[in-house]
Amino acid sequence: MTDLYVSLFISNYSPTPIQKVVSLVSRTGRDLQRYDTTGYRQVVGCIPYRYKNDGEIEVLLISAQKKGKGMLLPKGGWEIDESIEEAALRETMEEAGVTGHLEETLGKWQYKSKRQNMVHDGFMFPMLVSEQFEQWPESGFRQRKWVCLSEAIDLCQNWWMREALDAFIDRKCL
């Protein structure tokens, strides 16, 4: 009788499929951090963008972790257990709370980190945003703001991110 009961229970069981799972916790630490052969930390990020109804492009900027330090594009460490594309998507979700379609890389920039006093290789990808979340891993200490391209260049605090924005504009607008 028990066997019959179990088989009936299983035959009537229809689980609800999980559409998407979004982690609300950011990765931390440098244990899995990727470095090149010269010791440069590998960093990857996105230029999240969308089209307004009139066809104008808007870019999503985020606040720096420390208050009063300006706005930037989402970026962070590329870890050894993920592809460069996976890292770009993960960092953008963690820092900006958006997902979307990742496009071909805009290039690589070398810059010196102010906090760690070391050289980083920064790779940037355009990402056409398809979904924006109300809660995301770093929503407790980051603000985000959709801005036009010229305002993004004015507000972005890092020279290499402004250059990435220029490369993005060249690709999308010329």
Side-chain angles (χ1 to χ4, degrees):
M1 185 69 173
T2 304
D3 291 353
L4 179 62
Y5 173 76
V6 171
S7 67
L8 287 174
F9 177 74
I10 291 174
S11 68
N12 290 331
Y13 177 71
S14 62
T16 303
I18 296 174
Q19 298 282 330
K20 288 186 181 180
V21 176
V22 176
S23 173
L24 290 178
V25 178
S26 292
R27 285 187 171 192
T28 59
R30 299 269 191 263
D31 296 342
L32 297 176
Q33 184 61 58
R34 189 183 297 254
Y35 296 86
D36 75 359
T37 55
T38 59
Y40 293 174
R41 182 172 175 235
Q42 304 296 284
V43 172
V44 63
C46 286
I47 298 177
Y49 74 97
R50 68 183 181 189
Y51 291 98
K52 290 174 43 178
N53 289 340
D54 63 3
E56 182 184 359
I57 293 175
E58 288 185 312
V59 171
L60 185 63
L61 296 180
I62 60 169
S63 62
Q65 283 187 346
K66 301 207 179 220
K67 291 186 178 186
K69 295 284 184 178
M71 302 293 281
L72 18 110
L73 296 165
K75 62 99 181 104
W78 174 15
E79 299 185 354
I80 59 174
D81 65 341
E82 60 192 353
S83 70
I84 192 170
E85 296 85 3
E86 290 169 332
L89 292 168
R90 176 184 52 78
E91 285 294 339
T92 303
M93 180 61 210
E94 287 178 359
E95 294 189 351
V98 293
T99 60
H101 173 73
L102 200 64
E103 299 172 8
E104 186 179 331
T105 183
L106 291 165
K108 177 175 90 171
W109 289 263
Q110 286 189 338
Y111 68 97
K112 190 170 184 179
S113 169
K114 294 174 188 165
R115 287 169 68 195
Q116 297 158 345
N117 200 27
M118 68 184 304
V119 176
H120 296 338
D121 287 334
F123 300 86
M124 293 299 284
F125 293 84
M127 184 183 79
L128 180 58
V129 173
S130 61
E131 194 165 4
Q132 180 173 318
F133 296 90
E134 292 303 313
Q135 294 290 316
W136 68 97
E138 299 184 11
S139 61
F141 52 91
R142 288 198 194 269
Q143 302 296 312
R144 59 186 177 191
K145 181 178 182 182
W146 287 101
V147 297
C148 69
L149 290 170
S150 60
E151 188 177 1
I153 291 173
D154 289 342
L155 291 175
C156 197
Q157 70 181 25
N158 295 333
W159 67 267
W160 71 277
M161 288 184 178
R162 290 190 300 272
E163 284 190 8
L165 283 164
D166 286 337
F168 173 76
I169 290 168
D170 288 348
R171 182 181 294 179
K172 294 292 180 184
C173 302
L174 299 180

